[in-house]
Amino acid sequence: MLTRNRPGNPQAKRNANLQVTGAQAIEDEVYVNEAPESLLRDPNGKDKDTIRARFEKIIRDGQDEICNALAELDGTPFHQDTWTRPGGGGGITRVLQDGNVFEKAGVNVSVVYGTMPAEAYRAATGGNIKIPEGGNDRVPFFAAGISSVIHPKNPMSPTMHFNYRYFETEEWNGVPSQWWFGGGTDLTPSYVFEEDAKHFHGTYKNVCDKHDPTYYAKFKKWCDEYFLIKHRGETRGIGGIFFDDLNDKDPASIMAFSKDCLFNVVESYVPIAAKHKDDPFTEEQLRWQKLRRGRYVEFNLVYDRGTTFGLKTGGRIESILMSLPLTARWEYDYEPEEGTPEARAMKAFRQAEEWV
C-alpha cells in the first residue's frame, strides 16, 4: 500500500547543501517515480554477489515486509519518496502520517557513496578510530541501511525504533579500509506493561541465542547504555538490543544475524501495537505521552550517532529527521506522583531492568 513520491523541495535541498562545508559530501538527490531494481553503482558488474548487494536486498525486502504489516494494521497506505544520485546510491523513504493507529511511522532505506569529514568518521565509529594529522581530511565511504521509528497515537502503545546498517571505508591517510555492521531494535513506551516488555525482549533474546549465546546480554546492556539521555539521567525507553562496529566474525555470519533481527521486527512489535491500539486513555495520559516524546527528541538531536552522521555528511534532511514525532511537550521540572503508572515508568527509565 503506497502512494508515490512528489518532486523534491528545491529550497529544502539548497538549504541542506548549505550545511556541508568544503567539498560536497554526498551528491544531490534526483527524484524518480519508481525505485530501480538496485541502488548500487554497478549491480550487474563488480557489485554483483557482494556483501553490498546482498545487504541491499535484505533491507529492501525488510522494508516491504514491515511497511505491509504496519499499513495492514493501520488501514492507511505509506507515502513513498524515491531518489537516486548521479554517482550511485539513493534512497526510498516511506512515511505513514496521521493514520488510524500511527501518528507517524517511517521506514527508510538508503545506499550512500560519499566522503565524510574526519569528525563524522569519528562519530560513525564511536570515536574508536585514531585520526592521523594532516593529509586529506575527507574519508571515502559506502553505507547501506534501513532505519525506522514508529510513533503510535494511543499512549498505551509504545514507540518502536530499529536500524540495521553496513558500512565500508576506503584506505585513507594510512588508515586501512574498514567494514562493520551495526543496528538494533528498541522499545520506548510511555506506560510500561511487563508482558509487553517480556514479549519484545524475549523475541530478540531468541534471535540472539540462535547466533551467539553471549549476544543478548551484551547487546541488551549496550542498548541500555547507548540510549541514555545523559543530561536527564534516564534512558529513552526500556531498551532492546544495540550493536555497532561489529566485525569480529566473518561478514556473512554477522549479516545473517542482522537479517534475522530485521525480520523479527514485525513479530516483536506489531502484536503489541495491535493489542493497545483501541485502549481507552485520558487527556492526562496523552499529556504524559507527549512529555516522553520530548525526551525522544532530546536524545535523537543531541546524542544519536545516525542523526549526527547524516547531518555532518549532508544527507537528505527529511529522511534524517523522519524519526521525530508530530507532537511533543516540555514542562518545567515535571515529576510524576509516587505510586502512579507514570512513576512506575520513570523507575524503569532511571534503572535498567531485566525482562527475560
Side-chain angles (χ1 to χ4, degrees), residues 17-45:
N17 288 342
L18 291 175
Q19 305 304 311
V20 186
T21 59
Q24 178 104 8
I26 301 172
E27 295 176 306
D28 283 340
E29 303 95 15
V30 177
Y31 288 84
V32 295
N33 289 325
E34 297 290 337
E37 185 175 341
S38 174
L39 295 167
L40 296 173
R41 279 178 177 166
D42 190 11
N44 297 314

Side-chain angles (χ1 to χ4, degrees), residues 86-227:
I92 305 166
T93 286
R94 294 178 183 170
V95 177
L96 188 165
Q97 191 163 285
D98 282 325
N100 298 307
V101 176
F102 302 111
E103 180 182 275
K104 188 179 182 185
V107 186
N108 295 338
V109 159
S110 63
V111 173
V112 181
Y113 297 85
T115 65
M116 57 182 157
E119 62 176 307
Y121 187 32
R122 188 180 286 110
T125 58
N128 296 325
I129 300 295
K130 183 177 180 180
I131 305 300
E133 298 290 336
N136 183 359
D137 67 349
R138 302 198 69 86
V139 186
F141 74 90
F142 166 87
I146 181 170
S147 61
S148 174
V149 176
I150 302 163
H151 295 292
K153 287 187 167 182
N154 195 306
M156 301 301 158
S157 188
T159 287
M160 194 269 287
H161 157 264
F162 68 85
N163 178 300
Y164 293 96
R165 57 197 174 274
Y166 173 66
F167 209 98
E168 293 179 5
T169 62
E170 298 178 14
E171 187 279 333
W172 168 77
N173 283 357
V175 177
S177 60
Q178 310 277 336
W179 65 267
W180 65 89
F181 289 86
T185 308
D186 62 281
L187 201 66
T188 302
S190 299
Y191 290 92
V192 174
F193 297 96
E194 187 167 334
E195 64 181 26
D196 295 345
K198 288 180 178 295
H199 170 79
F200 182 81
H201 279 268
T203 300
Y204 277 99
K205 184 178 188 302
N206 290 339
V207 174
C208 289
D209 288 350
K210 176 182 171 183
H211 292 267
D212 187 320
T214 69
Y215 272 179
Y216 175 74
K218 180 165 59 176
F219 295 160
K220 194 267 186 190
K221 181 174 184 291
W222 200 343
C223 188
D224 291 335
E225 293 172 349
Y226 176 78
F227 289 106

Side-chain angles (χ1 to χ4, degrees), residues 116 120-121 123-124 141 143 167 304-315:
M116 57 182 157
Y121 187 32
F141 74 90
F167 209 98
D304 186 69
R305 281 168 59 173
T307 302
T308 300
F309 176 77
L311 294 174
K312 286 181 182 295
T313 55

